[in-house]
Amino acid sequence: VLAARGYPGAPETGQTIEGLDRTYPHGIRIDFAGVDRVGSRWVTSGGRVLGVTARADTVERAREAAYEAVSRIRFDGMQYRKDIAGTPLQSGSART
């Protein structure tokens, strides 16, 4: 999930989103959430702006493809987690 600056509290809106006009490889999916169209521009309109997912032969390849797609998208204040589909916790290492 690509989120706006200020999310989850008071997200900034109205930021121009770049990178949505290009063609992405097979297996990449971009879901619009907090997005509006203003004239010919896509702009942020909420906290959770875009969802980016990928399908591939392995989890590792899907993760790489999703983050590669994310690297091609830009808007001021864009934030996202960098640990999605990362190494799972080792057994017994989770704290309760």
Side-chain angles (χ1 to χ4, degrees), residues 5-96:
R5 180 183 295 131
Y7 173 81
E12 290 182 9
T13 60
Q15 302 300 315
T16 299
I17 306 168
E18 299 172 3
L20 297 179
D21 57 346
R22 60 179 31 137
T23 301
Y24 287 89
H26 177 74
I28 299 294
R29 180 177 171 148
I30 300 175
D31 293 302
F32 287 36
V35 176
D36 276 335
R37 189 80 165 168
V38 176
S40 63
R41 299 179 308 134
W42 293 106
V43 298
T44 62
S45 66
R48 293 180 180 181
V49 179
L50 298 165
V52 180
T53 56
R55 293 187 68 160
D57 294 338
T58 66
V59 171
E60 292 81 13
R61 286 185 183 152
R63 181 178 195 276
E64 289 171 10
Y67 281 113
E68 172 63 27
V70 165
S71 76
R72 297 173 183 219
I73 299 169
R74 169 90 177 104
F75 57 87
D76 286 342
M78 184 174 94
Q79 57 184 341
Y80 57 93
R81 290 181 52 173
K82 298 173 178 71
D83 63 338
I84 303 301
T87 305
L89 292 173
Q90 295 297 319
S91 177
S93 65
R95 296 181 186 210
T96 57

